[in-house]
Amino acid sequence: MTALVELDDVSKYYGNIRALEGVSLEVHAGGITCVLGDNGAGKSTLIKIIAGLHRHDGGTFSIEGEETSLGSPREALDRGIATVYQDLAVVPLMPVWRNFFLGSEPTKGKGPFRRLDVRTMRETTRAELLRMGIDLRDVDQPIGTLSGGERQCVAIARAVYFGAKVLVLDEPTAALGVKQSGVVLKYVAAARDAGLGVVLITHNPHHAYLVGDRFVLLKRGVMAGSHKKSEITLDELTRQMAGGSELEDLRHELERAPAPRHVGGHDLGH
């Protein structure tokens, strides 16, 4: 099956600085590809390339088998790629339905009589959220009154409604507790079950392993590993993510030196 999005040996440089080098990944319909890495690993640069914010400098970027180079986020959206950033682009004091349609508001009437179709927006928002399993009793409440997890879920439902084929999620659980993270991961899985290809950017291997089908590990801008779920355990994924051998070296460094056996002339062993 042709991948919805495929990066093959993609690189990105900012002057002399290597932000990404030789990164490859595939995103398939109904699948979740997790990109794992610590701060500075290159996750943000990867998002910017897929989202159309930055052009890649090397390698190939293909959408549904067609090699491309996106020039803007609007171009990415037109090609079916929606990106939900960690700092969600919402207007906190506006109602949920208004945020759901922000920038794409349906209208009714013509000419000077044209106005926002508020009823349609309210009903559609409620129905679409319900379809994703989000039961919001009041879509008139300001979106700022929702929890962080609920706001992420509204953004995911919005992307599904507006016809996204690929959903890129930037650290959606980073600032959330365990329960809220679980809520978000449930809706990430719902987007996958709706047939979308999902790219989940995270530094949490436990969250990744719960929903992911493929895992790409980044370290200082290069690939440190690429695995299907059937090929790797959570323990091994966590070990690789934490930099297993480096951690082992650090453990040896931090091990306490043996305590001195004599203090003030007294032998501590007796």
Side-chain angles (χ1 to χ4, degrees):
M1 237 170 60
T2 306
L4 291 175
V5 163
E6 183 175 4
L7 274 65
D8 185 20
D9 209 25
V10 161
S11 301
K12 177 68 185 175
Y13 296 89
Y14 298 106
N16 294 327
I17 298 167
R18 177 196 72 189
L20 273 187
E21 187 165 30
V23 174
S24 300
L25 64 81
E26 290 182 10
V27 185
H28 290 269
I32 298 176
T33 299
C34 298
V35 178
L36 297 110
D38 283 327
N39 292 338
K43 303 192 303 291
S44 297
T45 304
L46 187 67
I47 289 174
K48 286 169 183 168
I49 291 170
I50 298 174
L53 277 162
H54 291 178
R55 292 180 189 270
H56 57 290
D57 297 320
T60 58
F61 174 19
S62 304
I63 299 175
E64 296 186 85
E66 181 191 333
E67 194 176 326
T68 189
S69 180
L70 298 172
S72 70
R74 169 50 60 188
E75 208 179 313
L77 269 174
D78 291 343
R79 299 291 299 270
I81 299 172
T83 304
V84 177
Y85 292 98
Q86 196 176 327
D87 49 346
L88 293 171
V90 296
V91 183
L93 296 177
M94 277 188 179
V96 173
W97 61 265
R98 191 68 201 267
N99 274 280
F100 192 91
F101 281 93
L102 202 59
S104 305
E105 294 87 349
T107 56
K108 59 184 179 181
K110 291 185 178 178
F113 302 105
R114 199 163 79 165
R115 60 196 187 280
L116 292 177
D117 191 347
V118 174
R119 183 178 171 183
T120 295
M121 286 192 275
R122 278 200 181 105
E123 289 175 356
T124 303
T125 301
R126 190 176 286 112
E128 287 302 312
L129 291 177
L130 205 53
R131 195 163 73 88
M132 290 286 288
I134 308 164
D135 188 7
L136 267 193
R137 287 174 298 285
D138 182 15
V139 293
D140 281 302
Q141 68 191 95
I143 200 164
T145 62
L146 301 184
S147 69
E150 287 170 328
R151 286 199 296 272
Q152 286 280 356
C153 298
V154 170
I156 292 168
R158 181 183 194 276
V160 172
Y161 173 71
F162 282 104
K165 295 178 186 175
V166 175
L167 184 60
V168 183
L169 298 166
D170 171 24
E171 300 268 10
T173 61
L176 305 178
V178 174
K179 192 172 181 185
Q180 286 292 318
S181 294
V183 169
V184 172
L185 292 173
K186 193 171 109 185
Y187 298 124
V188 171
R192 172 199 65 200
D193 295 343
L196 277 75
V198 180
V199 182
L200 176 64
I201 312 287
T202 181
H203 63 263
N204 189 318
H206 294 270
H207 292 170
Y209 204 79
L210 279 170
V211 294
D213 302 299
R214 297 161 184 261
F215 308 102
V216 172
L217 288 109
L218 294 183
K219 191 177 249 182
R220 299 190 196 100
V222 297
M223 280 179 70
S226 179
H227 312 278
K228 291 181 180 173
K229 191 167 192 172
S230 57
E231 299 168 350
I232 193 167
T233 63
L234 172 57
D235 284 348
E236 179 59 20
L237 185 68
T238 306
R239 197 187 75 82
Q240 287 193 23
M241 169 75 195
S245 54
E246 289 174 29
L247 217 56
E248 192 61 26
D249 292 343
L250 184 62
R251 189 173 70 81
H252 287 307
E253 278 179 45
L254 296 177
E255 275 178 354
R256 291 170 182 265
R261 288 181 59 82
H262 290 81
V263 176
H266 297 288
D267 189 339
L268 297 178
H270 296 286

